[in-house]
Amino acid sequence: MSVASEALKLTGERQHLILRRALAERIIKIKDLAAELGVHEMTIRRDLDALAEQGLLERVHGGARVKDKTSEELSHHLRAAKNTEAKARIARAALDLIQDGDVVALDASTTALALAAILHARNVTAIVTGLDAANILAASGVSFLMVGGNFHAPARSFVGAFFMDTMRRLHPDKVFFSAKAYSVETGFTDPHLPEVGAKQTLISSGGTRIALLDASKLGRRALATIATLSEVDVLVTDAAPSDDVRAAIEAADIKLVIAQEEP
């Protein structure tokens, strides 16, 4: 990695730390951030200016703050920026499971969004449930149908009765979904109840149901169960799971795909 590339990486990591602090504290001070991160105050000022230009923060005297109306967007931005390399590997492995002519459905997870970004490599029709995937597919020329409903801002997705009624009438060849966590005891789980119902309906509509989870989510649990292993056909992850998770996958006769790093 070049010196310039390393500098850009460090800048990005620092700005993500700043965003996480802003989300937690609402108002952040330049002096406090500089001391915590071990950099000059001018460096923090440049970071805050850059984040303000992106609409993620609002500059105030001596620091910055998060507006109430943008806090959910900021939370989604941080989630999308987490484990990006793992998500990219998982997306490439998932693409190998898709053939030309398939109708594929994507949930509104950031992992499925990584798949949407490369879906133009296949001649398919997509069904999407979130705004970000729709924007990506529209820009890349992929034919798609967006299923609407009540807008769920934390995931930038559509949920609710209208969504579920429409989704039940559709029958994609393959469904790709993610979850907040997976454990042998609770299955695939998510903390957002509106998302749980929407994902359950999406999963039940598909011919082949494919879970996309980075390894950091395995062995953990969230509030509500989306699906059990018996409701899934394939699990794509980026590292070998623990022995108990692997045993459960084998017992359920689920295909396990471990995404490899590019040579």
Side-chain angles (χ1 to χ4, degrees), residues 10 34 48 162 198 209 218 223:
L10 291 174
L48 296 182
F162 183 85
R209 297 152 298 181
L218 299 177
L223 176 62

Side-chain angles (χ1 to χ4, degrees), residues 21-236:
R21 178 57 61 85
L23 193 60
E25 299 183 2
R26 312 298 295 174
I27 297 178
I28 50 178
K29 296 296 184 181
I30 292 172
K31 183 180 296 186
D32 295 339
L33 289 170
E36 178 184 346
L37 298 176
V39 296
H40 197 278
E41 289 187 13
M42 184 59 68
T43 300
I44 298 298
R45 287 192 182 90
R46 286 195 293 267
D47 286 336
L48 296 182
D49 289 341
L51 293 169
E53 288 178 4
Q54 298 174 58
L56 298 172
L57 294 178
E58 180 183 33
R59 291 285 270 117
V60 297
H61 180 70
R65 68 172 183 171
V66 178
K67 296 179 181 179
D68 289 340
K69 67 179 181 179
T70 62
S71 61
E72 290 178 336
E73 293 181 7
L74 177 54
S75 178
H76 179 78
H77 174 87
L78 290 173
R79 203 162 57 247
K82 186 177 181 180
N83 296 331
T84 53
E85 292 183 5
K87 291 173 185 176
R89 293 204 304 273
I90 290 169
R92 290 192 295 268
L95 186 68
D96 289 338
L97 302 174
I98 300 173
Q99 285 78 46
D100 287 345
D102 279 345
V103 177
V104 299
L106 310 178
D107 75 352
S109 65
T110 55
T111 310
L113 191 64
L115 176 57
I118 59 174
L119 198 56
H120 60 272
R122 297 287 184 270
N123 182 18
V124 298
T125 298
I127 298 170
V128 298
T129 63
L131 287 180
D132 293 333
N135 289 333
I136 285 176
L137 296 183
S140 60
V142 176
S143 175
F144 73 94
L145 166 68
M146 186 170 74
V147 182
N150 296 332
F151 184 60
H152 185 229
R156 294 175 58 79
S157 64
F158 294 98
V159 299
F162 183 85
F163 169 87
M164 291 189 284
D165 182 62
T166 303
M167 197 67 233
R168 290 188 186 104
R169 301 169 188 267
L170 302 174
H171 308 287
D173 299 306
K174 293 163 184 170
V175 168
F176 295 87
F177 77 97
S178 189
K180 184 70 172 180
Y182 169 81
S183 75
V184 173
E185 297 79 15
T186 59
F188 299 92
T189 53
D190 196 274
H192 298 293
L193 294 182
E195 285 289 313
V196 170
K199 286 176 184 279
Q200 287 172 336
T201 305
L202 181 71
I203 292 166
S204 65
S205 73
T208 301
R209 297 152 298 181
I210 303 164
L212 310 175
L213 263 75
D214 68 75
S216 70
K217 298 178 178 179
L218 299 177
R220 302 173 63 182
R221 66 178 66 190
L223 176 62
T225 296
I226 298 167
T228 63
L229 272 182
S230 64
E231 299 171 277
V232 174
D233 301 295
V234 183
L235 170 61
V236 184

